[in-house]
Amino acid sequence: MIAALAGLLADPHARTVLATTATLGASCGLAGTLLVLRRRALLGDAAGHATLPGIVGAGALSLSLGGTGREPWVLVTGAALGALAGIAVVHAIRRATRLPADAAMAIALGSLFGLGTAMLSALQQVEGGHGAGLESLVTGDAATLVRADLHAAAAVAAACILLATALRDDLRALAFDEDFSRSVGRPAGWLDALVSALAIANIVAGMRAVGLVLSVALLVIPAAAARPWCRTMGGMMSLAAVIGAAGAVAGTVASAAIDDAPTGPFVVLACGALLAASLAIAPRARVTAAGAAA
Amino acid sequence: MSRLHAAIEALRAWTPEVDGWIIAIGALAAAACAVPGTLLVARRQSMAADGIAHAVLPGIAGAFLLSGTRDLAWMAGGAAVAAVAMSAGSAFLERRLRVERDAALGIAYTVLFALGLALVVRAADSVDIDPSCVLFGAIEFAPLDRVTAAGHEIPRAALVIAAVAAANVAVAAFAWRPILASSFDRGFARAAGARPAACDAVVGAMATATCVACFESLGSVIVVGMLVVPACAARLACARLVPMAALAAAFGCVATVLGHVAACVAAPIAGLDSAGVRELSTAGCVAASLGACFVAVAGARALMSRKRPVDGARATCLPCAP
Amino acid sequence: MTSGGGAIAIAIDALDVAYGARTVLRGATARIRAGTMTAVVGPNGAGKSTLLRAVMGMLPFTGSVRVLGGSIEACRTRVAYVPQRAAVDWDFPITVRQVAEMGVHARLGWFGLRGRRTRREAIEALEDVGLADLAGRPIGELSGGQQQRAFMARALAQRADLVLLDEPFASIDATTERDLLALLSGLRDRGTTVVVVHHDLGTVRERFDDAVLVRGTVIAHGAARDVMTDEWIARTYGDAPRTGAAPS
């Protein structure tokens, strides 16, 4: 096992892959903490599913304009736009109706993913538009990662760290007590938009490694695993980053060891295993009067 | 003019044996999803629909791997196990981790879905299933898989879904009072002996059975739309559960028809048939049509109830505690 | 309306608030003088909390509300509000000190490196409410009354010109209540306007300058000695026709 790992590390491509997934895991853990504490965990799920019509649309546009339909920047832009559209749809539904957040997310998720499916079925029939590449975007394939992906992941991680640190007081206040934050005039809408943007950036950066459908897991599970150990939001972000990186690397190594295994599911399963371990050995939260009354 | 012509030709090419059954199967799915979908939305458990639709995947894939067949009984059993694992896991996580319910649900079902994806890729080698089919569905082929019943040849999917639809209605009718009480006020229901937890299990079981019945035709993710979106649209139009469910079924049927029509005519109308595009995925178009129906209902409601409070000093509306 | 001039901290005119079809406040009119400690009293469901929330702009209303001479939007940083029970997740990973620090941030700004000063002022606010020794504890570990005091510390840390408190003494024992009232009186002496929704009529008569009687509307407002009479109290708490007339 150690020998296998050493062998992996000797290979430059493998080093790139591992570095990229580790960075992604850390970045997702950090951004995911904000999502979880802001009680918007499943927004990541809606955004992840909503990327599909964006990607297919961008690919189709590129094809029609003479490209290959699979240029990385095209897919990334399409994914980001799709995720933005998904979140915008969720907000629009919540503002226009009194439906609760979970219903709005389920509506956005189902409809946009369906639209993406329909578009994909069309694209697959066009010459040059076969969906093999796109399918790997759904489940992830770390073997396809290149240095550009490492740079992108590092950039996203740096942005997350910078923004989360600079705005941590504002974000903490908003996540803990939205009424107070608004009552003292803080721009809650913009702060929420920032949290969503960080989540989207992570989803898009992790698209090729972890896939779209599972990216929410990498956002939410490390944060959940860190929760029982931390008293402060800052601590939770740091620990979630570590757990995310560890789970991402473990999952990547595991999927590489098994032939033909897609990376995304194994990263999620590794993070799930870390969550289970954390639950097993973490100190039990003291039952508080407030907690018991809840 | 020729695009419209091509579109009409595409519709003319409809046959009762194929297209008729496609619409029938979709309509039956809408009817089957209406009851559990409405109840889930009313109980503020919309994401549970998402969760169940994702979580059944490992159950079904595991059933394939274990049995080597696509036998319905195995699939249903596997799905049931997976759904129970999801509910139990999510409840445990919510308590132990003190995260909100939706986050706990998300963790449980994404882990299960990941397991399912891993299994499906393995199973694709040994059993005749296509991973993308599991995700996206293939209702176009459903009419071809026929069984004989009462002297007629009926697509297997139609029979199964119809049976589940009937069962859903029967179970809901039987357990109506406790379900209604626990949907509205859990605390009171628990104190009055209406067993809200048992009701949750019943509603979850209905949703699971519906997912298993529909997933072969609609795909595991599209079923989410069929469960939740018509119910939400119906919620906007009425406030009583039984009419809501009926309306949800109606919306689902409308979306099915719209979806299949769109699947057939979208390519000709957009001029894409010159690029080689024939039909789009019906399941995808149905899910997108569900969204369109919801938008239409929401828009109609917004137009009909334009009441704005007139205020002297500029009043800002901040969110009150839920 | 009490004579004796002075600025008006809150001016409410013809305020209507409805939750859906249910009207909670209708035609409420009141003046709260700056630099006073004013009590808002009334029976359950009278609309006292709603009145405060309307002043804070937290719900839609018709009518006019002017706070510190202008709209609430213009003076948010000068107003502190302590709700009856904060709608927060009590399991949130945050310490008592960090809750108080939020009040400092509201005043000093949310960016920059004033860590030590922020910490110091937060501890001071916690000392004022008697929670300094619990500063490092997670908020979820405190009792209900202690949590309420933590949110009061947050409001104190804001050093606002106007402080609104909704039933701040609900879970608090008599001794602590006395101490906190003295604290609020001290604020008032230094020029802060303090508005408290309070249920103990005896305390209101003794310790408060002004009072606003609420029952579906403002029954009366003005100096406590003028307004907290048996007749007005009976009109507010008993079965009496609602009027908006204030004693002169």
Side-chain angles (χ1 to χ4, degrees), chain A residues 125-174:
Chain A
Q125 296 170 55
V126 173
E127 202 177 297
H130 53 97
L134 289 177
E135 190 180 291
S136 77
L137 282 180
V138 174
T139 51
D141 187 1
T144 64
L145 294 175
V146 293
R147 284 204 77 79
D149 294 303
L150 176 57
H151 298 151
V156 169
C160 286
I161 294 174
L162 267 162
L163 287 166
T165 310
L167 297 170
R168 70 182 176 289
D169 297 321
D170 238 330
L171 290 170
R172 184 192 305 122
L174 176 66

Side-chain angles (χ1 to χ4, degrees), chain A residues 87-104:
Chain A
I87 294 186
V89 166
V90 174
H91 280 147
I93 294 176
R94 294 213 63 196
R95 281 191 25 195
T97 72
R98 295 199 60 190
L99 289 169
D102 56 343

Side-chain angles (χ1 to χ4, degrees), chain A residues 39 42 45 102-103 107 109 111 113-114 117-118 121-122 125-126 179 182 213 220-221 224 227 265 268 275 279 282, chain B residues 44 46 50 93 96-98 100 102 107 109 111 113-114 136 221 232 277-281 284 287 291 294 318-319:
Chain A
R39 301 192 238 181
L42 292 184
D45 202 19
D102 56 343
I107 295 172
L109 194 153
S111 313
F113 194 74
T117 307
S121 66
Q125 296 170 55
V126 173
D179 277 349
R182 285 178 186 269
V213 174
V220 174
I221 296 181
R227 181 83 178 244
V268 173
L275 173 64
L279 284 173
Chain B
R44 298 190 145 226
S46 314
D50 195 8
L93 285 171
R96 185 78 174 79
L97 280 176
R98 308 295 186 91
E100 49 154 359
D102 277 357
I107 294 172
Y109 79 65
V111 169
F113 192 68
F136 303 118
V221 182
C232 287
V277 181
R278 297 270 159 265
E279 288 185 1
L280 270 48
S281 142
F294 175 82
L318 291 175

Side-chain angles (χ1 to χ4, degrees), chain C residues 184-198:
Chain C
L184 294 174
S185 302
L187 281 183
R188 183 268 323 269
D189 295 337
R190 292 197 291 277
T192 306
T193 309
V194 180
V195 180
V196 182
V197 172
H198 195 36

Side-chain angles (χ1 to χ4, degrees), chain C residues 8 24 32 44 67 90 142 153 168 192 207 212 246:
Chain C
I8 299 295
V24 180
I32 294 179
N44 286 336
V67 181
W90 296 104
L142 270 55
T192 306
R207 310 290 302 263
V212 177

Side-chain angles (χ1 to χ4, degrees), chain B residues 2-44:
Chain B
S2 69
R3 284 199 193 176
L4 197 53
H5 202 71
I8 295 177
E9 280 305 310
L11 285 179
R12 284 246 200 103
W14 276 18
T15 59
E17 304 91 56
V18 177
D19 301 276
W21 274 116
I22 288 178
I23 292 193
I25 290 172
L28 285 170
C33 289
V35 172
T38 305
L39 288 174
L40 284 173
V41 169
R43 297 164 84 84
R44 298 190 145 226

Side-chain angles (χ1 to χ4, degrees), chain B residues 68-161:
Chain B
T69 70
R70 291 167 61 207
D71 188 12
L72 202 59
W74 276 95
M75 274 170 32
V81 168
V84 166
M86 187 202 70
S87 314
S90 145
F92 171 71
L93 285 171
E94 190 185 346
R95 257 196 338 267
R96 185 78 174 79
L97 280 176
R98 308 295 186 91
V99 291
E100 49 154 359
R101 184 183 57 189
D102 277 357
L105 202 62
I107 294 172
Y109 79 65
T110 50
V111 169
L112 284 170
F113 192 68
L115 183 62
L117 279 179
L119 287 175
V120 160
V121 171
R122 302 288 290 165
D125 300 332
S126 52
V127 183
D128 177 29
I129 59 168
D130 177 8
S132 65
C133 198
V134 167
L135 285 175
F136 303 118
I139 196 174
E140 299 85 346
F141 301 112
L144 304 176
D145 177 13
R146 292 174 182 248
V147 298
T148 325
H152 295 279
E153 278 217 341
I154 300 180
R156 183 173 87 134
L159 263 183
V160 170
I161 297 178

Side-chain angles (χ1 to χ4, degrees), chain C residues 81-95:
Chain C
Y81 170 61
V82 184
Q84 197 167 358
R85 178 81 176 150
V88 299
D89 170 16
W90 296 104
D91 292 312
F92 195 96
I94 192 170
T95 62

